[in-house]
Amino acid sequence: MRLSLRGGFGEKGRTSIAVESDGYRLLLDAGVKTSARGSPAYYPAISPAELAATDAIIVTHGHEDHVAALGWCIANGFHGRIFMTAETHRETDRALVDYASADDCERVRHANVEPLPVTTSTSNAAAAGCGVLALGPLQVTSGRSGHIAGGVWCAVRDAHATFLYCADVVPASPIFTMDPPPRADAIALDASYGDDDVVSSTRAAQVRSWIASQPAGCVLPTPLYGRSAELLAIVQGPIALATGMRDALAAQIGGGYWLVDGAGEALAERLRGAVDWREDTALPHAALICHDGMGMSGPSKRILEMADAQRYPTLFTGHVPANTQGERMLAAGRAAWIRLPTHPTRSENVALTTASGARIVLGHSCEPEALARLAAHLPSLRMDLATGDSLEI
């Protein structure tokens, strides 16, 4: 089995990895790099000839750094099969509207997307279309990732080896369930946080305290799906929702199969108490949860401009790309940042590696400096590989 790193290795964004076995070519994810918009590095490092020879693409979830280059792949020669869960298919269009060209959006809308089976040990397995996906010489098993409704990790096996692609995972999310992955010969960890080892409950308490200290209201930019549900659970006071957020939250809450037991009921109650905010009104005396679009698109583009001009408290809780309104606000001290764990901590990545038994360990979605800090705790982590490299397992 040959792995080719097409994006997200030694960098944050455009996550993509190719798997080849006995002439069959599978691409796992096709994301964009938001900080490189307008340059070739925005898209995966894969040629039209390689895309034309690719037999299938599996998309693990609907965030832009994993799916927003899908239409670009089609435009540049890919004509194979496409697999994703129903929830990811639903969320993909929103990601493409914000991060892809209009033509690429249309290409994906007209593509034949097949359902990705998800295996699990729970009694709800049948609800997710439990099974193993056979693709040429490859057997693909997917499980819930704990990161987002519809999000999965993938284990790809041929006659000789097993590769575990963690995509984006959260082993201990209070909202989304993660299934335990199988053992593997090689693993690609979600190394987004490097060696950060602060647990979710601690960071959630910090976020909750910051929000409580802003009684006149604040802005909470967040991806439309995933972390938005985590924030909804954290906010204790008045909640306001920007355009599109209510529907996105309702869709996630309705997907009970993907949620931790009891989380759906609590989130539904919070959602019922939230008010809808319109952009033609003043910023609210409430925690305003808005779709961030990384500050590049969606409601947050205008909201962040308003918040910055009015010195309205703003808290970022995830990745803030370079050359965005959010980065400028943070640099000027006009916004705060507290990381809310929606990726694995250092200890969780160490535990995932140990449980997998993998002899080859890769880390994606992480800059080299942070990856080096993680490697101090994971000696088997490969620091010599980056986007554009390949290896045999």
Side-chain angles (χ1 to χ4, degrees):
M1 182 185 293
R2 182 175 180 83
L3 305 180
S4 298
L5 313 183
R6 301 305 185 190
F9 292 85
E11 60 184 347
K12 176 69 175 175
R14 63 169 180 170
T15 316
S16 184
I17 185 166
V19 182
E20 183 177 357
S21 177
D22 292 338
Y24 191 93
R25 298 187 179 190
L26 169 66
L27 192 65
L28 298 170
D29 283 338
V32 298
K33 185 176 180 178
T34 52
S35 61
R37 200 165 198 169
S39 77
Y42 188 66
Y43 298 107
I46 185 170
S47 70
E50 291 166 325
L51 283 168
T54 298
D55 296 283
I57 293 177
I58 290 177
V59 175
T60 62
H61 65 287
H63 284 155
E64 82 288 339
D65 55 332
H66 291 258
V67 70
L70 183 57
W72 174 88
C73 290
I74 296 171
N76 283 275
F78 174 74
H79 54 269
R81 301 171 74 184
I82 301 171
F83 296 89
M84 60 182 82
T85 64
E87 292 80 5
T88 296
H89 195 189
R90 176 193 67 204
E91 295 154 10
T92 288
D93 189 68
R94 180 70 260 178
L96 268 68
V97 166
D98 289 335
Y99 298 100
S101 70
D103 288 343
D104 285 350
C105 289
E106 286 302 310
R107 290 183 179 97
V108 175
R109 287 174 185 146
H110 289 94
N112 178 32
V113 176
E114 301 180 58
L116 178 67
V118 181
T119 61
T120 175
S121 58
T122 72
S123 59
N124 292 327
C130 174
V132 176
L133 179 63
L135 296 174
L138 303 175
Q139 300 287 315
V140 181
T141 303
S142 300
R144 294 172 293 184
S145 68
H147 179 69
I148 183 176
V152 299
W153 48 256
C154 290
V156 183
R157 186 179 76 250
D158 67 5
H160 310 287
T162 298
F163 169 57
L164 174 58
Y165 172 52
C166 285
D168 288 358
V169 297
V170 187
S173 168
I175 303 299
F176 300 107
T177 295
M178 179 176 172
D179 294 311
R183 293 180 66 82
D185 299 284
I187 184 172
L189 298 169
D190 173 2
S192 299
Y193 294 165
D195 67 338
D196 188 337
D197 209 29
V198 180
V199 297
S200 177
S201 58
T202 297
R203 283 283 168 71
Q206 293 171 351
V207 171
R208 187 177 294 113
S209 176
W210 186 93
I211 295 170
S213 71
Q214 314 298 330
C218 60
V219 171
L220 302 175
T222 176
L224 196 58
Y225 297 96
R227 192 172 357 114
S228 58
E230 308 267 2
L231 283 171
L232 181 65
I234 286 172
V235 179
Q236 293 184 322
I239 301 171
L241 303 175
T243 304
M245 188 56 71
R246 182 177 296 276
D247 289 345
L249 287 167
Q252 295 175 86
I253 294 167
Y257 167 77
W258 301 95
L259 303 179
V260 170
D261 287 345
E265 294 83 351
L267 289 173
E269 182 177 352
R270 305 306 296 277
L271 186 59
R272 285 192 292 269
V275 299
D276 295 308
W277 177 82
R278 300 194 320 272
E279 289 188 35
D280 59 351
T281 62
L283 290 168
H285 291 279
L288 174 59
I289 302 177
C290 63
H291 170 37
D292 63 4
M294 297 298 182
M296 299 176 180
S297 60
S300 79
K301 182 173 176 58
R302 172 62 179 147
I303 291 170
L304 289 177
E305 291 170 352
M306 294 172 64
D308 195 17
Q310 300 174 29
R311 299 299 188 266
Y312 189 81
T314 300
L315 177 67
F316 293 94
T317 53
H319 177 61
V320 180
N323 306 313
T324 61
Q325 179 72 19
E327 184 193 48
R328 291 187 287 272
M329 291 172 70
L330 286 170
R334 296 193 297 270
W337 183 84
I338 302 172
R339 175 181 283 151
L340 182 63
T342 53
H343 298 276
T345 63
R346 181 191 76 205
S347 294
E348 288 170 335
N349 268 331
V350 170
L352 283 168
T353 302
T354 301
S356 74
R359 55 183 172 80
I360 299 173
V361 183
L362 311 176
H364 69 79
S365 304
C366 187
E367 299 289 346
E369 296 80 7
L371 195 65
R373 294 194 295 270
L374 176 60
H377 304 273
L378 265 175
S380 56
L381 183 62
R382 294 284 297 269
M383 290 296 301
D384 58 321
L385 298 171
T387 294
D389 291 332
S390 298
L391 67 154
E392 302 282 343
I393 64 170

